[in-house]
């Protein structure tokens, strides 16, 4: 069955350092991969989407890579700040025939990032 | 521009009861998906509605049903509630074309006692 794993439940880093989160998957060939941020008691907030034919995407201090051979995505937050503390979710999606691809996402359990001042 | 809105935000039900959760998608979106998120877990896909039809369904029993209205809003119904149904129920909306961003609502917290 499809499986998606995020490397650790929790990651603690010092302010200013780069946080690197890992997402690995098996038994799946996603058309795209997304990263979300979720704060306690809130819904997930979309951060970045990367498609299977893309190697890297950047948005401000965020960078995501996607290696379909290794079946792995890395999510980086550079110059991390305490405000970056949250749970980060990785999600895989497939394109469907009718074009409805965005809804059926497979999520990992998330990695809780804590950035200490 | 309102984002995805869900109601109610919190509710408590008794085992065996039925519950209806509601969702209004973000303006311009035509597709609504529902997810269940248990504590400490990632969201799990329940089903997706487009053009008032259920298009995709995850691994959830028939006790979970839904509906999409002509104005694209949606309802999630859960019958014969079990203690294990206690979770955060998330609604997500998007525009049907592939590659578009999904927006999540803040969710409805359901506690079954």
């Amino acid at each position: 069955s499809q499986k998606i794993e995020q490397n650790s439940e929790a990651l603690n880093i010092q302010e200013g350092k780069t946080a690197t989160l890992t997402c690995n998957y098996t038994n799946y060939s996603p058309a795209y991969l997304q990263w979300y941020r979720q704060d306690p008691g809130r819904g997930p907030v979309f951060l970045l989407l990367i498609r299977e034919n893309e190697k890297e995407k950047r948005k401000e201090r965020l960078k995501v890579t996607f290696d379909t051979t290794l079946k792995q995505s890395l999510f980086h937050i550079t110059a991390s700040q305490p405000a970056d503390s949250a749970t980060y979710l990785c999600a895989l999606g497939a394109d469907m025939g009718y074009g409805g691809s965005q809804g059926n996402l497979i999520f990992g359990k998330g990695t809780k990032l804590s950035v200490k001042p | 521009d309102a984002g995805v809105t869900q109601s109610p935000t919190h509710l408590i039900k008794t085992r065996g009861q039925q519950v209806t959760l509601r969702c209004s998608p973000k303006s311009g979106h035509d597709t609504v998906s529902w997810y269940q998120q248990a504590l400490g877990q990632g969201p799990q896909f329940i089903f997706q509605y487009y053009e008032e039809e259920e298009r995709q369904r995850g691994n959830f029993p028939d006790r979970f049903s839904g509906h999409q209205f002509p104005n694209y809003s949606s309802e999630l119904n859960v019958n014969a509630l079990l203690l294990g149904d206690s979770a955060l129920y998330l609604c997500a909306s998007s525009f049907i074309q592939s590659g578009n961003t999904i927006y999540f609502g803040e969710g409805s917290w359901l506690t079954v006692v």
Side-chain angles (χ1 to χ4, degrees):
Chain A
S1 63
Q2 302 154 351
K3 195 174 181 183
I4 178 169
E5 287 185 348
Q6 295 190 239
N7 62 323
S8 58
E9 289 188 7
L11 179 65
N12 299 310
I13 65 167
Q14 205 66 31
E15 183 176 7
K17 301 292 186 184
T18 295
T20 299
L21 285 64
T22 305
C23 176
N24 294 291
Y25 60 93
T26 56
N27 298 325
Y28 198 67
S29 295
Y32 57 90
L33 185 147
Q34 302 186 17
W35 284 90
Y36 288 82
R37 169 184 173 139
Q38 188 172 28
D39 292 288
R42 310 292 298 273
V45 175
F46 172 80
L47 296 175
L48 282 168
L49 179 152
I50 186 166
R51 299 198 70 86
E52 60 178 335
N53 59 350
E54 297 174 318
K55 296 293 184 187
E56 183 180 297
K57 270 277 184 75
R58 289 175 185 262
K59 179 183 176 182
E60 297 171 354
R61 294 185 296 112
L62 309 179
K63 184 178 88 170
V64 62
T65 63
F66 193 12
D67 189 326
T68 55
T69 301
L70 291 178
K71 294 187 182 293
Q72 180 182 80
S73 174
L74 299 178
F75 177 77
H76 306 272
I77 305 175
T78 58
S80 59
Q81 305 164 3
D84 296 326
S85 298
T87 295
Y88 291 85
L89 298 163
C90 165
L92 305 177
D95 284 326
M96 306 303 293
Y98 65 95
S101 64
Q102 299 299 307
N104 185 2
L105 296 175
I106 302 172
F107 280 88
K109 290 185 179 180
T111 296
K112 185 175 181 180
L113 174 67
S114 295
V115 182
K116 305 285 190 234
Chain B
D1 176 23
V4 180
T5 58
Q6 293 187 242
S7 63
T9 53
H10 294 82
L11 69 166
I12 301 174
K13 289 286 189 178
T14 303
R15 198 170 36 179
Q17 284 188 316
Q18 179 263 347
V19 69
T20 297
L21 308 177
R22 296 175 176 82
C23 171
S24 291
K26 183 176 169 61
S27 178
H29 285 183
D30 55 7
T31 304
V32 172
S33 301
W34 287 92
Y35 288 80
Q36 179 195 67
Q37 187 174 23
L39 215 56
Q41 304 293 315
Q44 274 198 293
F45 176 75
I46 303 175
F47 41 54
Q48 181 188 66
Y49 277 85
Y50 170 64
E51 291 187 332
E52 302 179 48
E53 288 187 18
E54 182 183 295
R55 298 290 182 149
Q56 302 177 53
R57 190 178 183 92
N59 190 24
F60 279 81
D62 292 344
R63 298 187 297 108
F64 289 78
S65 63
H67 191 78
Q68 186 180 33
F69 300 94
N71 66 352
Y72 307 118
S73 66
S74 177
E75 287 181 352
L76 164 66
N77 300 293
V78 187
N79 294 322
L81 285 167
L82 304 174
L83 296 179
D85 294 331
S86 297
L88 177 65
Y89 287 85
L90 294 162
C91 172
S93 76
S94 61
F95 183 62
I96 191 62
Q97 288 181 357
S98 175
N100 285 318
T101 302
I102 296 178
Y103 291 85
F104 281 85
E106 297 294 5
S108 294
W109 285 96
L110 171 65
T111 301
V112 182
V113 298

